Amino acid sequence: NAGVMQNPRHLVRRRGQEARLRCSPMKGHSHVYWYRQLPEEGLKFMVYLQKENIIDESGMPKERFSAEFPKEGPSILRIQQVVRGDSAAYFCASSPRSAQETQYFGPGTRLLVL
Amino acid sequence: TQLLEQSPQFLSIQEGENLTVYCNSSSVFSSLQWYRQEPGEGPVLLVTVVTGGEVKKLKRLTFQFGDARKDSSLHITAAQTGDTGLYLCAGNTGGFKTIFGAGTRLFVKA
């Protein structure tokens, strides 16, 4: 009865490196969402994916950021050539069948770019 | 642009006091959720409301969805230190995107 799982919980990268964040949705959930949260702020939507499809990526920067949710395995949020401004908490959420259903969140990955 | 405004942004109270936080929008929502987030953790779902005028109770927490489904409130009775956290409301208008308010930071002092 596991909830949404994210790893790593903490990630430190130097400027210019790549960051890969993983999210395994709740069992039976086929919709995944990624959000970014800066300190003392709310959640900002980045991208919404179903298996093998990106449904809405309107909140994701056009450059350096990409996301996937393959048929097998976790969803991956990839940030290339990280910059200090990418430092934030990145949360993944999942819902069962549609975007209208309640989303359940993982514990987040805290990315620190040195 | 759809916005969910939460008020107050910050609230510091003594243990035992009552409080109400608000979530307002000009948009109509098909559903609205309240989450609580503790430092270093992800948001944890407290409740989902879907019917205008709906009231839901969760122990000392009372959630109300406005008749027009544009606003909601969360009332906490006899606050405890364990209620400290960031309270987020989130709404879905029937489309792909769920929008989140910026949250109310609650600190309950012993």
Side-chain angles (χ1 to χ4, degrees), chain A residues 13-16 36 38 64 81-88 90 111-114:
Chain A
R13 285 287 179 265
R14 296 194 180 278
R15 280 180 295 171
R36 184 161 87 169
L38 295 171
R64 301 189 298 108
Q81 299 175 343
V82 295
V83 300
R84 289 213 174 116
D86 296 332
S87 295
Y90 291 84
L111 172 66
L112 175 63
V113 180
L114 301 176

Side-chain angles (χ1 to χ4, degrees), chain A residues 24-93:
Chain A
S24 296
M26 283 180 74
K27 189 177 180 181
H29 287 195
S30 59
H31 298 249
V32 165
Y33 316 80
W34 285 93
Y35 294 85
R36 184 161 87 169
Q37 187 178 39
L38 295 171
E40 307 300 314
E41 294 189 9
L43 295 164
K44 293 290 191 288
F45 168 81
M46 297 181 73
V47 62
Y48 161 40
L49 310 103
Q50 294 179 33
K51 284 283 188 183
E52 300 185 275
N53 288 303
I54 296 174
I55 306 302
D56 181 357
E57 56 182 348
S58 59
M60 199 155 67
K62 295 282 189 286
E63 297 179 354
R64 301 189 298 108
F65 285 71
S66 62
E68 63 177 12
F69 189 15
K71 188 176 180 182
E72 301 292 337
S75 175
I76 307 283
L77 178 67
R78 184 182 176 206
I79 311 173
Q80 295 177 290
Q81 299 175 343
V82 295
V83 300
R84 289 213 174 116
D86 296 332
S87 295
Y90 291 84
F91 291 97
C92 167

Side-chain angles (χ1 to χ4, degrees), chain B residues 24-39:
Chain B
N24 294 294
S25 176
S26 57
S27 300
V28 176
F29 295 103
S30 57
S31 69
L32 188 141
Q33 291 80 40
W34 283 93
Y35 295 84
R36 188 174 86 196
Q37 184 179 21
E38 298 189 28

Side-chain angles (χ1 to χ4, degrees), chain A residues 9 37 58 99-100 102-103 110, chain B residues 35 37 40 48 92 94-95 97:
Chain A
R9 291 292 306 271
Q37 187 178 39
S58 59
Q100 285 80 43
T102 298
Q103 297 177 22
R110 275 139 194 90
Chain B
Y35 295 84
Q37 184 179 21
T48 297
N92 186 284
K97 201 174 294 185

Side-chain angles (χ1 to χ4, degrees), chain B residues 4 7 13 23 25 34 37 48-49 57-58 63 74 81 89:
Chain B
L4 264 178
S7 62
I13 61 170
C23 177
S25 176
W34 283 93
Q37 184 179 21
T48 297
V49 287
K57 289 184 184 288
L58 184 67
F63 305 86
L74 157 59
T81 55
C89 67

Side-chain angles (χ1 to χ4, degrees), chain B residues 12-26:
Chain B
S12 180
I13 61 170
Q14 288 292 139
E15 201 170 26
E17 292 183 357
N18 302 333
L19 67 116
T20 303
V21 298
Y22 300 93
C23 177
N24 294 294
S25 176
S26 57

